[in-house]
Each structure stands twice: as structure tokens, then as C-alpha cells.
Amino acid sequence: MKLLAAIATLSIALLSGCATPGGSGPATNMNGMLVGSNQMTLYTFDRDVAGSGWSVFNGPCATNWPPLMAAESDQSRGDYSVITRDDGKKQWALKGKPLYFWIKDSKPGDTTGDGVNGVWRIAKP
């Protein structure tokens, strides 16, 4: 009986981790911008080529612009696709553009990454 309860609890936890408000993808529309499950603003990088299937922003740069990571088992759905990074890990993309967070955003609703170096943009639905 305990094993059955543990399996049920684990199944619910795993399934809830896959769900997003609205069920449309890994990000949520908040006030006209996309945010991750942590409610932090998501960004796109102008130099990423939409539909290329990869991110030009890798290595140490990803410390300041952490990618919106996807699980190995995640699959494309709707406008969202999963790309493979240089390190072999998976990242979410919207309309072919990889999605990132900005390390200097400190709380939900912050948008301090918008326009950084003229190449970072808030991701919008």
C-alpha cells in the first residue's frame, strides 16, 4: 500500500512539473511578456538565428544569460521547440529563437535585460 501511495505521489509530481498555466508551453504570458515557471522574464538574443536549432550563446556567456532548460524528454509543442546546446543539454525556443533568463533580474517582473548591448529583447508571445 505504501509503495502504491509513493508511486501515485511521484506520478503527480512528475506530471505537474510538465504542466504550465494554459498548457501551451514552458513559458507563461505575464503582462505581455513571457516568463518561466519561476515568474522571471525571458529574453531572446538577436544573433540567434530563428529555426537554426541551436544557440550561439554558450559557455561562460550562459552564466549571465542562463538558458530556459528543457528536460531530455521534453518535446516541441505549438510555437515552442527544443534545441540542443553545445554541451548536449536541451533548451526551449519560441518560434525557433532560444529563450534565456538574465542574471541581473532579481525579482519577478524585472526587465533589466531588455536592450542590453542592443541585442537582447524581452520574449513576447
Side-chain angles (χ1 to χ4, degrees), residues 84-113:
T84 302
R85 299 180 52 76
D86 286 356
D87 61 6
K89 294 181 180 174
K90 305 293 183 179
Q91 178 179 0
W92 284 107
L94 175 68
K95 298 177 184 171
K97 295 280 280 187
L99 295 168
Y100 307 87
F101 295 102
W102 171 228
I103 193 101
K104 292 186 179 180
D105 282 349
S106 61
K107 64 185 181 308
D110 280 356
T111 59
T112 63

Side-chain angles (χ1 to χ4, degrees), residues 49-90:
V49 178
S52 68
W54 62 287
S55 166
V56 298
F57 215 76
N58 288 282
C61 297
T63 301
N64 289 329
W65 295 94
L68 176 60
M69 301 304 293
E72 191 66 34
S73 61
D74 283 333
Q75 295 183 2
S76 300
R77 56 185 180 259
D79 285 338
Y80 293 96
S81 56
V82 177
I83 64 166
T84 302
R85 299 180 52 76
D86 286 356
D87 61 6
K89 294 181 180 174
K90 305 293 183 179

Side-chain angles (χ1 to χ4, degrees), residues 15-39:
L15 289 174
S16 67
C18 295
T20 58
S24 60
T28 303
N29 181 352
M30 184 172 81
N31 299 321
M33 62 186 182
L34 292 178
V35 298
S37 62
N38 58 0
Q39 302 301 303

